Amino acid sequence: MNNVGISNWSGSRTLAGTVVTPTTLDEAADAVARSSHVRALGSRHSFNDIADSEETLLNLAHLAYRHPRLSTPTDGDAPPSSVEPELDESTGRVRVTGSTRYADLALFLHDRGRTLPNFASLPHISVAGSVATGTHGSGIGNASLASSVVGIELLTADGSVRTLTDADAELDGARVALGALGVVTAVTLQSVPAFDVAQTVYGPAGFDDVVAAFEEVSGLGYSVSCFTTLRENTFASIWVKRAGGELEDAWPAQVAGSRAMSEPFHPIPGVDPANATQQLGAAGPSWDRLPHFRADHMPSAGEEIQCEYLVPRQHAVRALEAFRELSGPLAGLVQVAEVRSIAADTAWMSPMYQQDCLAFHFTLVRDNERVAAALPHLDAAFGPVEGRPHWGKVFDADPQRVRGLYPRRSDFVDLARDLDPQGTFTNAFLRRWVF
Ligand SMILES: Cc1cc2nc3c(=O)[nH]c(=O)nc-3n(C[C@H](O)[C@H](O)[C@H](O)COP(=O)(O)OP(=O)(O)OC[C@H]3O[C@@H](n4cnc5c(N)ncnc54)[C@H](O)[C@@H]3O)c2cc1C
């Protein structure tokens, strides 16, 4: 199938490349060999031009594993073949095709008593695409999804497959690779024994109360997220997700002065909570609690544009104040904003490289022009606190500032030139922000 003008998941951006949909790995290798510029597509949940190509867009949906309990595609993609993941029971390592969505992998692992340590806010996204952009969930002790990667198989421009494992120093360059090294055909992840999580949503809480008790609030559970519309001086909801021994403890009577909600809540105030994962303290499998959105429902708002900055945790107080000040410049644009915690990792191009971070995320209205006009305000707010833009979301910054935030950037560029000397997997996004 060839098609031009495919859009991203939210419909906020049309990709310029021509889509080619291989049904086998050999067809994928053929498509790469025939193109001078190629980018692989994941589930197209990115908001900027990171996935775009001046020539070929490789849709790998047919090579994804689809769990039978999620047999209906939620994203309109062609039905995939069921390429079973391979779980090594002795090590807990699971090898999965790159285009497989976390939802399908989570169910596969669940059936075998295993899971992954953390998930993003939604499980609808592909493993390779998420890992490539440094996608993360929340939790002071939880690092990005890329930190579970122990092996990557790359289809390179000459058609050969290169495998990197945790025995190779370069794996840290290939974890958050922004699609620059080749087509990720398979990823091996370290799974953990399955565990339960229960979530209780508190709110609303005063902005000052949350800032004053921020370390305590963000340490209340395995994963904590604080949501605000920035319209009132409050956090509308604080999502506390508990695991392991925390499940034995009584829930706090109050969080930053707010009480537990007695009804389910959607992260975006006023939206039907049917799409949100189960709350009210009911324990269940971690893959069905750590994401905010249910695997079999549409996540978030759909009509939206997202941006996000990752800020070193040492700047938490200044960053939270800068965040609050954005209520003016972002007036009329914010559907909801979220503050999360992420632990440091070791991936060279990860925004969390060697530093614990806070994530300031914004779900904005789907109005490209008005959002573009507001983006410099976001960079002005978070730039002075070393904020790194999320690789898969929209941002407007000085490219020199962004490049300077990554101490291993030149090692990454060397790795890309080694694996892809002709620049087949390079695009305008990479030329602007990385190379
Ligand atoms: C509703 C919603 C909620 C979100 N929640 C979160 C969140 O909680 N945390 C967070 O950090 N982010 C979040 N995001 C952002 C999202 O996780 C990232 O944009 C992620 O990259 C999406 O993965 P994808 O499979 O859609 O990748 P795509 O958008 O399809 O691609 C992203 C990049 O990965 C590359 N890529 C994809 N597949 C391959 C492959 N097989 N080989 C090589 N390169 C490949 C592409 O070329 C591109 O450069 C959210 C986005 C949405 C829409």
Side-chain angles (χ1 to χ4, degrees), residues 39-40 42-46 121 126 129 133 135-136 184 340 390:
R39 298 288 287 172
S43 54
R44 304 194 311 276
H45 282 72
S46 295
S121 70
S126 83
T133 58
T135 292
H136 59 84
V184 175
R340 288 180 276 185
H390 190 301

Side-chain angles (χ1 to χ4, degrees), residues 9 39-47 50-51 60 120-122 125-126 128-130 132-133 135-136 178-179 182-184 300 304 306 340 390 392-393:
W9 167 82
R39 298 288 287 172
L41 289 174
S43 54
R44 304 194 311 276
H45 282 72
S46 295
F47 290 88
I50 188 169
L60 299 165
S121 70
L122 77 176
I125 46 183
S126 83
S130 305
T133 58
T135 292
H136 59 84
L178 316 172
V183 178
V184 175
S300 197
E304 64 194 69
Q306 296 186 7
R340 288 180 276 185
H390 190 301
K393 306 189 182 184

Side-chain angles (χ1 to χ4, degrees), residues 227-403:
F227 288 93
T228 172
T229 61
L230 290 175
R231 284 193 282 282
E232 289 104 31
N233 205 16
T234 58
F235 279 91
S237 64
I238 299 172
W239 296 51
V240 181
K241 304 182 189 231
R242 293 189 143 182
E246 296 166 353
L247 293 175
E248 311 301 319
D249 300 338
W251 290 92
Q254 294 194 352
V255 170
S258 68
R259 295 193 179 279
M261 299 209 182
S262 55
E263 299 289 336
F265 199 74
H266 189 281
I268 304 174
V271 175
D272 184 346
N275 295 4
T277 47
Q278 201 175 338
Q279 302 160 32
L280 308 178
S286 60
W287 60 263
D288 200 22
R289 296 291 184 282
L290 291 171
H292 305 321
F293 303 108
R294 294 175 49 156
D296 49 359
H297 283 57
M298 195 199 69
S300 197
E303 289 191 10
E304 64 194 69
I305 297 175
Q306 296 186 7
C307 46
E308 180 169 327
Y309 277 78
L310 293 307
V311 176
R313 201 174 182 92
Q314 76 223 41
H315 302 311
V317 174
R318 273 175 68 201
L320 282 159
E321 286 309 330
F323 176 57
R324 186 211 311 254
E325 295 303 317
L326 284 168
S327 61
L330 296 183
L333 294 178
V334 181
Q335 303 197 57
V336 83
E338 178 182 13
V339 186
R340 288 180 276 185
S341 304
I342 311 131
D345 64 33
T346 56
W348 300 347
M349 295 307 288
S350 165
M352 286 71 67
Y353 177 68
Q354 292 193 337
Q355 51 193 351
D356 297 338
C357 284
L358 290 190
F360 292 90
H361 157 86
F362 302 83
T363 300
L364 304 176
V365 297
R366 200 180 61 187
D367 182 332
N368 283 307
E369 214 169 298
R370 287 172 65 212
V371 168
L375 291 180
H377 294 284
L378 287 159
D379 206 64
F382 296 117
V385 284
E386 299 176 70
R388 291 129 169 82
H390 190 301
W391 288 120
K393 306 189 182 184
V394 294
F395 58 96
D396 185 356
D398 173 1
Q400 287 311 324
R401 183 183 89 71
V402 174
R403 289 159 189 238

Side-chain angles (χ1 to χ4, degrees), residues 82-314:
S82 261
V83 188
E84 280 260 323
E86 296 159 31
L87 174 67
D88 181 333
E89 305 271 357
S90 62
T91 62
R93 291 179 170 208
V94 60
R95 177 183 177 275
V96 62
T97 54
S99 49
T100 300
R101 301 173 307 174
Y102 274 97
D104 298 281
L105 175 59
L107 281 169
F108 171 88
L109 289 171
H110 174 85
D111 295 343
R112 291 154 182 84
R114 308 287 300 180
T115 192
L116 297 171
N118 205 4
F119 293 91
S121 70
L122 77 176
H124 310 61
I125 46 183
S126 83
V127 173
S130 305
V131 163
T133 58
T135 292
H136 59 84
S138 188
I140 288 178
N142 290 321
S144 70
L145 304 186
S147 61
S148 293
V149 173
V150 291
I152 289 189
E153 290 160 52
L154 285 166
L155 173 63
T156 59
D158 65 9
S160 64
V161 173
R162 173 87 181 263
T163 301
L164 293 170
T165 72
D166 51 354
D168 300 303
E170 294 89 353
L171 183 67
D172 273 328
R175 284 191 165 111
V176 178
L178 316 172
L181 306 184
V183 178
V184 175
T185 54
V187 181
T188 302
L189 299 157
Q190 181 62 56
S191 71
V192 297
F195 60 99
D196 275 354
V197 169
Q199 65 180 337
T200 296
V201 180
Y202 292 79
F207 202 102
D208 290 325
D209 296 326
V210 174
V211 172
F214 190 75
E215 285 303 318
E216 191 194 321
V217 170
S218 49
L220 280 173
Y222 184 80
S223 168
V224 174
S225 290
C226 303
F227 288 93
T228 172
T229 61
L230 290 175
R231 284 193 282 282
E232 289 104 31
N233 205 16
T234 58
F235 279 91
S237 64
I238 299 172
W239 296 51
V240 181
K241 304 182 189 231
R242 293 189 143 182
E246 296 166 353
L247 293 175
E248 311 301 319
D249 300 338
W251 290 92
Q254 294 194 352
V255 170
S258 68
R259 295 193 179 279
M261 299 209 182
S262 55
E263 299 289 336
F265 199 74
H266 189 281
I268 304 174
V271 175
D272 184 346
N275 295 4
T277 47
Q278 201 175 338
Q279 302 160 32
L280 308 178
S286 60
W287 60 263
D288 200 22
R289 296 291 184 282
L290 291 171
H292 305 321
F293 303 108
R294 294 175 49 156
D296 49 359
H297 283 57
M298 195 199 69
S300 197
E303 289 191 10
E304 64 194 69
I305 297 175
Q306 296 186 7
C307 46
E308 180 169 327
Y309 277 78
L310 293 307
V311 176
R313 201 174 182 92
Q314 76 223 41

